[in-house]
């Protein structure tokens, strides 16, 4: 599948799964899952190095949760979401990873109230493939406006095995 073959559900903004919606709208940690937050410092919110820092956070977090099968795809998705927050969202505020059963959510908060929109497919374009890549790798993605001048852009990937308990990682 190419990224141009991804479904159009994100163009209208799909709804997050119930477990994710509850966690995001309530603003608290998951009770029956894994939850980790990486706050971007104000000074690094626009620096390209914060994308690499976010990828390292993903690698460490998923290693602790024993969800290695999603590490590479999650790093790609997080790279795209953080880059979009820097380019179009006024900067990245935080990255949150949440795992529930076999699902892993990546949530990036930015400073913009504008909805993200995939660019029309253009084979010759230098930019504009990020959200199509997210569509191709994820079981769903979308955005929420929690109030105020910010938004949460979320994407859910599905693991073959699911996360281990944070207290008892699988070996």
């Amino acid at each position: 599948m190419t990224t141009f073959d991804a479904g159009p559900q994100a163009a209208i903004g799909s709804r997050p799964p119930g477990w994710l919606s509850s966690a995001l709208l309530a603003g608290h940690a998951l009770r029956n899952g894994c939850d980790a937050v990486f706050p971007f410092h104000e000074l690094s919110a626009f620096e390209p190095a914060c994308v690499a820092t976010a990828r390292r956070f993903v690698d460490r977090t998923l290693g602790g949760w024993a969800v290695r099968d999603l590490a590479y795809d999650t790093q790609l998705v997080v790279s795209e979401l953080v880059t979009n927050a820097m380019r179009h969202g006024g900067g990245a505020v935080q990255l949150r990873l949440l795992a529930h059963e076999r699902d892993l959510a990546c949530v990036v908060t930015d400073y913009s109230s504008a909805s993200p929109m995939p660019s029309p497919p253009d084979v010759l374009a230098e930019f504009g493939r990020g959200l199509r890549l997210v569509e191709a790798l994820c079981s769903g993605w979308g955005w929420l406006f929690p109030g105020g001048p910010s938004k949460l852009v979320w994407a859910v990937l599905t693991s073959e095995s699911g996360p281990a308990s944070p207290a008892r990682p699988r070996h």
Side-chain angles (χ1 to χ4, degrees):
M1 169 191 275
T2 68
T3 55
F4 294 127
D5 296 329
Q9 78 277 4
I12 58 170
S14 58
R15 291 178 169 243
W19 66 268
L20 179 58
S21 185
S22 297
L24 294 178
L25 296 177
H28 55 73
L30 286 177
R31 293 177 192 215
N32 298 322
C34 302
D35 193 345
V37 176
F38 179 80
F40 291 96
H41 300 291
E42 248 180 76
L43 295 176
S44 68
F46 290 104
E47 294 177 18
C50 76
V51 176
T53 303
R55 284 194 303 264
R56 284 191 299 275
F57 172 74
V58 167
D59 192 49
R60 284 190 312 269
T61 302
L62 297 188
W65 294 350
V67 189
R68 285 284 178 205
D69 65 311
L70 289 180
Y72 183 75
D73 288 353
T74 304
Q75 287 177 336
L76 287 174
V77 168
V78 164
S79 293
E80 294 302 332
L81 297 182
V82 171
T83 298
N84 283 349
M86 292 184 335
R87 280 196 176 162
H88 309 291
V93 177
Q94 81 173 16
L95 164 62
R96 186 174 177 190
L97 300 176
L98 302 101
H100 176 74
E101 296 176 359
R102 293 181 48 212
D103 289 337
L104 173 68
C106 310
V107 183
V108 174
T109 305
D110 67 31
Y111 292 102
S112 175
S113 59
S115 299
M117 291 293 160
S119 299
D122 182 353
V123 177
L124 301 176
E126 290 184 40
F127 301 102
R129 293 183 180 89
L131 292 178
R132 300 245 178 232
L133 178 67
V134 171
E135 287 175 356
L137 294 174
C138 297
S139 57
W141 79 275
W143 58 93
L144 297 170
F145 296 100
S150 65
K151 73 175 167 294
L152 306 172
V153 180
W154 59 269
V156 175
L157 297 101
T158 302
S159 171
E160 294 175 8
S161 58
S165 166
R168 297 182 342 212
R170 281 185 244 158
H171 298 284

